[in-house]
Amino acid sequence: MTMRVKAVLLDLDGTLLDHKGAAEKAFLAACLQWLPDLDEEARYEAHTEWQRLEAIHMRAYLDRTMTFQEQRRARLRGVLSACGRDTGAVSDDQADDLFTIYLRHYENSWAAYGDVPEVMRFLGGAPAGVAVLSNGDRAQQEAKLASLRLPSTPPLFTPSDVGASKPNPTSFLGACERMGWEPSEVLYVGDDLQGDALAAAAAGLRGCWLDRQQTYGAAAPEGILRVHSLFDLATADLFDRSTA
């Protein structure tokens, strides 16, 4: 599929930064301190539960029914409870201290995917520019973006900037408005088919699904560009350089 665009909007976690890899390393390391009696198999089972809790409580944060700190505490208490620990006596301060163990390992594990530095140099040549749209907490996402040591740091937008989180169309359109972009001339690239590519397309942007794991054997839905690496964007005839 050929798409000609003038600007590129990128997801952060799972697209530029290997969130899953960093989160797994961090959890398994923290778990040795939280639950030292668990064997290796039990730690991996606890990690699966941690991922489930992350999805639930991050959505609550994005829906504004929890603060960012509250969702962290809920995830921590939830995984301890699932492992048979009594969390009734775990105060907020204690939960924060325990979560900090995970957070320290997580931050130390932040890394860009191998295709990111070169492709970001290429995308920097987009006629109207490049930016990042992420659902995370702004302060943390700023730190993540800085940790990638990109050739130049693109503008970053989060729900606190645009008034909504993905997949709400307001999120995509708000970022485009801030950048002065016409949505139909913008390619949104993300690793989540539903929450990134299809949601962007529903908002009037061009959707690109970055399927790094080649999760599905079938072709992407009609109108969605599917790539397995960001290098695929660098080798595509991507940009419309007309001035009209």
Side-chain angles (χ1 to χ4, degrees):
M1 178 189 297
T2 300
M3 285 188 179
R4 288 291 191 86
V5 296
K6 293 187 176 181
V8 178
L9 191 58
L10 295 153
D11 175 46
L12 179 53
D13 293 317
T15 298
L16 301 179
L17 181 139
D18 183 4
H19 163 72
K20 288 184 178 179
E24 179 175 338
K25 288 178 185 177
F27 178 83
L28 294 175
C31 196
L32 289 171
Q33 295 177 255
W34 295 342
L35 302 161
D37 56 324
L38 294 187
D39 61 23
E40 183 177 11
E41 181 179 358
R43 285 196 298 274
Y44 276 97
E45 289 175 354
H47 176 248
T48 298
E49 176 66 6
W50 179 257
Q51 291 177 301
R52 188 186 74 83
L53 292 167
E54 178 184 23
I56 292 171
H57 296 304
M58 275 299 295
R59 177 43 56 187
Y61 160 68
L62 293 171
D63 289 342
R64 302 181 182 182
T65 61
M66 276 186 173
T67 66
F68 196 62
Q69 196 66 16
E70 285 170 346
Q71 66 84 25
R72 286 178 167 179
R73 293 167 183 161
R75 288 160 60 190
L76 187 283
R77 289 186 173 113
V79 78
L80 293 180
S81 178
C83 292
R85 303 304 189 268
D86 180 7
T87 60
V90 177
S91 69
D92 285 350
D93 286 344
Q94 290 171 323
D96 293 344
D97 288 343
L98 290 171
F99 195 94
T100 297
I101 296 171
Y102 165 80
L103 185 61
R104 183 172 62 251
H105 289 295
Y106 178 52
E107 292 175 348
N108 289 338
S109 299
W110 286 346
Y113 288 101
D115 53 5
V116 169
E118 181 178 337
V119 175
M120 288 302 290
R121 281 190 287 269
F122 165 76
L123 295 179
V130 60
V132 174
L133 174 65
S134 172
N135 270 353
D137 169 75
R138 179 164 186 87
Q140 186 177 61
Q141 300 310 84
E142 283 181 340
K144 286 180 181 179
L145 197 55
S147 78
L148 301 183
R149 302 182 185 279
L150 300 176
S152 60
T153 303
L156 168 69
F157 300 101
T158 65
S160 63
D161 302 306
V162 296
S165 61
K166 298 179 294 181
N168 190 317
T170 298
S171 178
F172 301 97
L173 296 177
C176 290
E177 182 178 4
R178 294 290 190 95
M179 293 298 295
W181 293 341
E182 178 62 39
S184 63
E185 297 178 341
V186 179
L187 181 69
Y188 187 83
V189 183
D191 64 298
D192 184 336
L193 175 59
Q194 297 292 331
D196 287 325
L198 287 172
L205 289 71
R206 313 299 293 273
C208 176
W209 175 29
L210 176 58
D211 181 20
R212 290 188 181 276
Q213 306 302 318
Q214 302 189 35
T215 309
Y216 302 96
E222 184 177 355
I224 300 298
L225 176 64
R226 180 191 187 192
V227 298
H228 300 310
S229 166
L230 291 176
F231 285 130
D232 295 334
L233 298 179
T235 58
D237 186 14
L238 187 62
F239 297 134
D240 176 2
R241 300 188 182 278
S242 67
T243 57

